[in-house]
Amino acid sequence: MAAARAGRVSERPLLLIVDDEERILNALSRCLRREGYTILTAQTAERVRELLEEHPVDVVLSDHKMPNTSGLEILALASQLRPGAARLLISGWPEQVPPDRLAALGVRELLPKPWDDGDLKRALRSAVDG
């Protein structure tokens, strides 16, 4: 991941958080704001595409169940547009996520909702250090 940040003005990892609920985006951003990340947020697949095309994202953390898309579709898009970005999925129903799809998309971690702040921070640090 350090190689992905080479040549940037900031050495802070760029994290894209995706969730259709603004309150969840705010809670995740609050949890992670002091962890050394530059944080981008998106609520739609269209916005995710724009951000991935415009920014050298290091990590994508996506909710699984969203209207008109899924976290797996978001992470598939991320794997196409930013193949070097680490991918993590967060879900209120982790047992419904097919493990073979996670493996096929190179998802590093499936985190349950509600999440544990310490587990989330650990998973992201591991993804960044990678």
Side-chain angles (χ1 to χ4, degrees):
M1 212 55 57
R5 291 190 302 272
R8 276 203 213 155
V9 173
S10 171
E11 288 299 312
R12 295 166 57 104
L14 186 54
L15 168 63
L16 173 57
I17 304 173
V18 183
D19 198 296
D20 60 302
E21 295 183 52
E22 189 170 350
R23 66 181 181 79
I24 299 294
L25 287 176
N26 290 337
L28 287 165
S29 295
R30 265 192 318 275
C31 170
L32 299 169
R33 70 176 169 223
R34 291 192 175 106
E35 297 301 307
Y37 303 103
T38 298
I39 299 174
L40 302 172
T41 61
Q43 291 181 271
T44 66
E46 295 79 19
R47 184 66 179 144
V48 169
R49 176 178 289 282
E50 291 170 6
L51 291 171
L52 289 171
E53 289 175 345
E54 295 171 11
H55 300 281
V57 173
D58 295 303
V59 182
V60 179
L61 171 64
S62 181
D63 182 29
H64 180 50
K65 295 206 178 208
M66 295 179 281
N68 306 316
T69 193
S70 75
L72 294 174
E73 291 169 349
I74 294 293
L75 296 178
L77 177 63
S79 72
Q80 292 172 350
L81 297 176
R82 295 286 172 193
R87 295 172 290 281
L88 294 92
L89 189 68
I90 189 167
S91 177
W93 299 274
E95 67 283 349
Q96 294 179 10
V97 180
D100 58 325
R101 287 277 296 160
L102 294 173
L105 291 172
V107 176
R108 291 180 181 244
E109 189 123 13
L110 172 59
L111 298 157
K113 270 186 182 177
W115 63 89
D116 175 83
D117 287 354
D119 289 344
L120 175 62
K121 291 172 185 179
R122 178 202 47 77
L124 285 167
R125 270 193 305 275
S126 176
V128 168
D129 293 342

